[in-house]
């Protein structure tokens, strides 16, 4: 039976993005909202909205039973989880299977395999894909000392179940290990309910490069190019681009091949992203993790390929074969995305919820804005601070950058603080323009922005 109605189990811009894809496919959308989101743009845009609980995510967006009840109650045939929330919880995918509702994402086993970074590292190593030199799980602080010494400082302590940059701590010397170990343990337990930690060698001059993958139920797997997401703050992406720039062509090819190899071997279905870190000192790249969902930064890939990744996710879940062969995927120009959040960069990125009194996003050729915001919208304090993704496309990186600079300049937001001024500052830096960046670059620039 084919999908006629999708329950959107998310909020914000990604909920709107999924609703739009459904509409274009002639599919009805129902959105599950918390009490805080009853009046949101996704709630008004979907064909129907159902309330699943109080504002706190733990009592609404993170409740598998509430999502399933909403799907069954509205006779939805499928659930789209977006990103974050339950997207990478195998429990939702399993519950969907159990109740005969299609999960628009990979099989629960794939989510589980890749959800634990230690298990994922072990698995891809079997396919001869290099992983960052690192340890098995760190059983105790004492073990941690021995493991860190053998890998060599600086190291990163990472939560095996981690995501969203949480549970990652840098340890530059042995004297810092105890404190980092305690903090990472507490953070991992609180955020992921799993305190398992491991250690990776820290690569101080590296680029984050990730490959977009699509796989269908017949075993076809293709890549849709790679993205560079090296501009990060606190291990979280700030600016993303497609394709990756100023890297050797040979490396680009090898990274794509590694990603397709991994996805084929695990019989991956639906959209997924395989993340790598490229060490600019040695030129070597290593597998970091796989995200078994749509990514925040998927629009840059869409802009340079014309592939609608969310529509493709839905048709894959519907049992259809991929709409593209590898040779159909052509790359045209360059795209950049800036994540605009409700935070004040000059105050340590303090969250700034509140009413948006003015909202004038830029328009024009090569500009795309994915956002759920509008004038008069109250940005609730309960959720992720993402307000909008500003994406520009150009014939080449130079043109995409120029358009981004102008678009940021003309983006008018009032009532709350946003990261727009900081993004504008970053994009005017010569290092950025000439592609000489690494994953620490944004934090160094932040020190100049806020002396
Ligand atoms: P992407 O790789 O798509 O850019 P991020 O890592 O920035 O994704 O995470 C996407 C969103 O999901 C963010 O809002 C982040 O806070 C949230 N997120 C990611 N992983 C987790 C997780 N394991 N648990 C809870 N939230 C997560
Ligand atoms: P998450 O699941 O939170 O996204 P990742 O393993 O993907 O965690 O790491 C997040 C970011 O942290 C990476 O994009 C990269 O910038 C940085 N990072 C991760 N591992 C390393 C490493 N071994 N050396 C240097 N930077 C790293
Ligand atoms: Mg990651």
């Amino acid at each position: 039976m084919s999908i006629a109605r999708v329950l959107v189990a998310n909020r914000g811009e990604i909920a709107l993005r999924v609703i739009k894809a459904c509409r274009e496919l002639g599919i009805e959308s129902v959105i599950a909202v918390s009490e805080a989101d009853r009046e949101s743009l996704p709630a008004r845009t979907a064909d129907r909205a159902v309330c699943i609980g109080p504002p706190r995510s733990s009592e609404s967006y993170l409740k598998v039973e509430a999502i399933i009840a909403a799907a069954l109650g509205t006779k939805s045939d499928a659930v789209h989880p977006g990103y974050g929330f339950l997207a990478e919880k195998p429990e939702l995918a399993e519950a969907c299977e159990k109740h005969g509702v299609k999960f628009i994402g990979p099989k629960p086993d794939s989510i589980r395999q890749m959800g634990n970074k230690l298990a994922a590292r072990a698995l891809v190593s079997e396919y001869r894909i290099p992983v960052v030199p690192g340890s098995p799980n760190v059983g105790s602080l004492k073990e941690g000392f021995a493991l860190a010494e053998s890998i060599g400082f600086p190291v990163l302590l990472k939560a095996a179940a981690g995501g969203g940059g949480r549970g990652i701590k840098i340890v530059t010397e042995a004297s810092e290990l105890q404190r980092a170990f305690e903090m990472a343990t507490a953070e991992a337990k609180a955020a992921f309910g799993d305190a398992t930690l491991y250690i990776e060698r820290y690569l101080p001059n590296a680029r984050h490069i990730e490959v977009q993958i699509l796989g269908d139920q017949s075993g076809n797997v293709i890549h849709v190019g790679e993205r560079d997401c090296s501009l990060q703050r606190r291990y979280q992406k700030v600016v993303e681009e497609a394709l990756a720039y100023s890297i050797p062509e040979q490396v680009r090819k090898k990274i794509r091949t590694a990603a397709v190899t991994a996805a084929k071997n695990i019989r991956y279905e639906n959209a997924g992203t395989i993340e790598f870190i490229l060490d600019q000192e040695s030129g070597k790249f290593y597998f970091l993790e796989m995200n078994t969902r749509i990514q925040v930064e998927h629009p840059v890939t869409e802009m340079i390929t014309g592939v609608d990744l969310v529509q493709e996710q839905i048709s894959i879940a519907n049992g259809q074969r991929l709409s593209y062969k590898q040779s159909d995927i052509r790359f045209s120009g360059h795209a950049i995305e800036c994540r605009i959040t409700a935070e004040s960069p000059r105050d340590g990125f303090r969250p700034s919820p509140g009413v948006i009194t003015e909202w004038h996003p830029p328009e024009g050729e090569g500009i795309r804005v994915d956002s759920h915001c509008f004038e008069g919208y109250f940005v609730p304090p309960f959720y992720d601070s993402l307000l909008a993704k500003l994406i520009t496309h150009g014939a080449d990186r130079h043109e995409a950058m120029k358009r981004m600079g102008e678009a940021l300049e003309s983006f008018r937001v009032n009532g709350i603080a946003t990261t727009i001024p900081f993004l504008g500052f970053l994009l005017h830096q010569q290092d950025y323009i000439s592609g000489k960046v690494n994953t620490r670059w944004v934090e160094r620039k932040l020190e100049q922005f806020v002396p």
Side-chain angles (χ1 to χ4, degrees), residues 110 113-114 119-131 211 213-215 219-223 254-270 272-276 285-292:
S110 300
Q113 275 176 327
M114 289 298 166
R121 283 161 58 86
L123 192 64
V124 304
S125 298
E126 287 178 28
Y127 315 131
R128 295 165 175 273
I129 294 167
V131 300
V211 183
I213 288 293
L214 287 173
N220 301 302
V221 173
I222 60 168
H223 72 78
K254 282 187 184 161
I255 290 180
R256 289 176 177 177
T257 305
V260 172
T261 302
K264 274 201 172 134
N265 273 290
I266 62 167
R267 294 188 174 71
Y268 191 78
E269 274 178 39
N270 219 281
T273 296
I274 309 198
E275 297 187 337
F276 296 90
F285 67 87
Y286 306 94
F287 169 87
L288 268 185
E289 64 158 344
M290 178 165 191
N291 294 323
T292 53

Side-chain angles (χ1 to χ4, degrees), residues 97-170:
E97 228 166 50
K98 190 175 141 202
H99 289 93
V101 175
K102 291 188 166 94
F103 178 73
I104 303 176
K107 290 266 169 287
D109 281 351
S110 300
I111 302 178
R112 194 161 270 129
Q113 275 176 327
M114 289 298 166
N116 183 298
K117 291 185 187 175
L118 276 169
R121 283 161 58 86
L123 192 64
V124 304
S125 298
E126 287 178 28
Y127 315 131
R128 295 165 175 273
I129 294 167
V131 300
V132 188
S135 77
N137 77 0
V138 181
S140 64
L141 180 61
K142 188 162 164 260
E143 228 177 277
F145 276 113
L147 289 166
E149 289 290 353
S150 71
I151 292 164
F153 290 99
V155 296
L156 284 183
L157 260 179
K158 284 188 170 183
R166 281 182 296 171
I168 300 182
K169 296 280 172 260
I170 185 162

Side-chain angles (χ1 to χ4, degrees), residues 22 27 30 58 76 98 158 172 361 363 398:
C22 288
I27 294 173
V30 179
S58 59
S76 299
K98 190 175 141 202
K158 284 188 170 183
T172 40
E363 286 170 29
H398 179 79

Side-chain angles (χ1 to χ4, degrees), residues 370-392:
D370 281 21
S371 175
H372 57 295
C373 293
F374 52 89
E375 230 156 74
Y377 176 60
F378 174 75
V379 179
F382 312 107
Y383 312 107
D384 190 277
S385 58
L386 187 68
L387 294 172
K389 303 188 303 201
L390 173 59
I391 306 112
T392 60

Side-chain angles (χ1 to χ4, degrees), residues 42-317:
R44 294 186 208 171
T45 310
D47 294 301
R48 189 176 162 193
V50 287
C51 188
I52 49 164
R56 268 170 185 277
S57 310
S58 59
E59 294 174 43
S60 50
Y61 296 109
L62 289 172
K63 281 185 90 166
V64 174
E65 321 83 68
I67 300 297
I68 296 292
L72 297 176
T74 58
K75 297 194 164 51
S76 299
D77 339 276
V79 170
H80 196 303
Y83 54 71
F85 294 129
L86 295 171
E88 289 177 282
K89 298 273 182 278
E91 292 80 9
L92 176 63
E94 268 159 9
C96 283
E97 228 166 50
K98 190 175 141 202
H99 289 93
V101 175
K102 291 188 166 94
F103 178 73
I104 303 176
K107 290 266 169 287
D109 281 351
S110 300
I111 302 178
R112 194 161 270 129
Q113 275 176 327
M114 289 298 166
N116 183 298
K117 291 185 187 175
L118 276 169
R121 283 161 58 86
L123 192 64
V124 304
S125 298
E126 287 178 28
Y127 315 131
R128 295 165 175 273
I129 294 167
V131 300
V132 188
S135 77
N137 77 0
V138 181
S140 64
L141 180 61
K142 188 162 164 260
E143 228 177 277
F145 276 113
L147 289 166
E149 289 290 353
S150 71
I151 292 164
F153 290 99
V155 296
L156 284 183
L157 260 179
K158 284 188 170 183
R166 281 182 296 171
I168 300 182
K169 296 280 172 260
I170 185 162
V171 186
T172 40
E173 52 179 274
S175 67
E176 295 171 6
L177 189 70
Q178 179 170 356
R179 193 178 139 76
F181 185 82
E182 284 163 3
M183 280 170 62
T185 302
E187 207 171 308
K189 207 173 205 165
F192 314 111
D194 177 352
T196 310
L197 300 182
Y198 71 104
I199 298 174
E200 271 181 19
R201 174 184 295 158
Y202 180 69
L203 304 171
N205 180 15
R207 297 271 285 270
H208 172 115
I209 302 207
E210 58 180 37
V211 183
Q212 176 69 54
I213 288 293
L214 287 173
D216 66 18
Q217 297 179 11
S218 314
N220 301 302
V221 173
I222 60 168
H223 72 78
V224 197
E226 74 288 337
R227 298 181 282 257
D228 184 305
C229 313
S230 301
L231 269 56
Q232 303 184 352
R233 180 181 158 264
R234 295 197 171 164
Y235 313 108
Q236 286 176 336
K237 299 158 189 167
V238 176
V239 178
E240 304 99 340
E241 305 191 26
L243 293 171
Y245 50 97
S246 57
I247 61 164
E249 282 312 305
Q250 206 47 28
V251 170
R252 186 197 307 281
K253 241 173 105 183
K254 282 187 184 161
I255 290 180
R256 289 176 177 177
T257 305
V260 172
T261 302
K264 274 201 172 134
N265 273 290
I266 62 167
R267 294 188 174 71
Y268 191 78
E269 274 178 39
N270 219 281
T273 296
I274 309 198
E275 297 187 337
F276 296 90
I277 190 150
L278 171 61
D279 180 6
Q280 298 192 108
E281 302 296 325
S282 67
K284 289 186 183 155
F285 67 87
Y286 306 94
F287 169 87
L288 268 185
E289 64 158 344
M290 178 165 191
N291 294 323
T292 53
R293 54 169 162 89
I294 192 81
Q295 302 266 121
V296 174
E297 58 275 21
H298 75 275
V300 289
T301 300
E302 296 186 326
M303 294 290 265
I304 61 158
T305 59
V307 175
D308 188 307
L309 291 166
V310 180
Q311 287 190 22
E312 207 57 25
Q313 284 193 292
I314 298 170
S315 76
I316 292 167

